[in-house]
Amino acid sequence: AQSVAQPEDQVNVAEGNPLTVKCTYSVSGNPYLFWYVQYPNRGLQFLLKYITGDNLVKGSYGFEAEFNKSQTSFHLKKPSALVSDSALYFCAVRDGGNDMRFGAGTRLTVKP
Amino acid sequence: DAGVIQSPRHEVTEMGQEVTLRCKPISGHNSLFWYRQTMMRGLELLIYFNNNVPIDDSGMPEDRFSAKMPNASFSTLKIQPSEPRDSAVYFCAVQRTGSNTGELFFGEGSRLTVL
């Protein structure tokens, strides 16, 4: 069965600095990878996805993610963090089947 | 996401009571998912439906939990009897028709507290 791991419970960065939120995956077939963001008391919001093609995927709010097959990773990045980016971030994977599995989440805090 | 309406947003009940959570997705979706979110266990997939048919309910904790999808625009998740350990936020999510590689659209969730 497919799974993802988010090795960091918490990531702290200063506003204006680049940020990275890490994710590694495990699937038996081709991976379909996703990032979501969750603000307090809200549902998950889709940020970006990798299905096939270019390994660098661009998404909403200036976020991007790099698919690395050899390292089985799909790290989320942003060149310049904003305080408003502070939220809970989830990596997720599908392997062509219908169910989507989520990581444990990483809490991003951006300090002014 | 405006495409998935969940109710109630908050529910407080006593142990032993029946709880029914509701989900109304807008049209254009063919798969519906129920997730549970807790601090301890994160996001857990409970059950999902394709074209209103339950496909995988292996994530349903036990027989106290049941889910139905009588039509494409309505689903329920029922807990009977409820227990304090069922306290969590329950999310409904949908996927666009014809795309099993696509993203899911989540509702705002139903926060359940069982006393």
Side-chain angles (χ1 to χ4, degrees), chain B residues 6-25:
Chain B
Q6 291 188 246
S7 63
R9 289 295 313 278
H10 302 275
E11 172 109 6
V12 180
T13 191
E14 293 186 347
M15 182 173 63
Q17 296 299 305
E18 177 179 295
V19 174
T20 299
L21 307 178
R22 298 172 177 82
C23 177
K24 292 185 177 181

Side-chain angles (χ1 to χ4, degrees), chain A residues 39-102:
Chain A
Y39 297 100
N41 301 312
R42 302 295 301 276
L44 277 70
Q45 297 177 31
F46 169 72
L47 280 178
L48 51 80
K49 66 182 176 183
Y50 171 84
I51 304 299
T52 186
D54 194 348
N55 289 344
L56 184 63
V57 178
K58 294 188 182 297
S60 306
Y61 311 120
F63 283 94
E64 58 189 28
E66 186 169 10
F67 172 69
N68 188 317
K69 188 173 183 178
S70 63
Q71 297 185 4
T72 62
S73 66
F74 189 57
H75 300 333
L76 181 71
K77 300 181 180 184
K78 187 173 183 181
S80 179
L82 300 173
V83 172
S84 57
D85 293 330
S86 299
L88 191 56
Y89 289 81
F90 290 95
C91 182
V93 65
R94 307 177 88 168
D95 66 356
N98 264 321
D99 62 333
M100 182 176 289
R101 303 288 172 166
F102 288 83

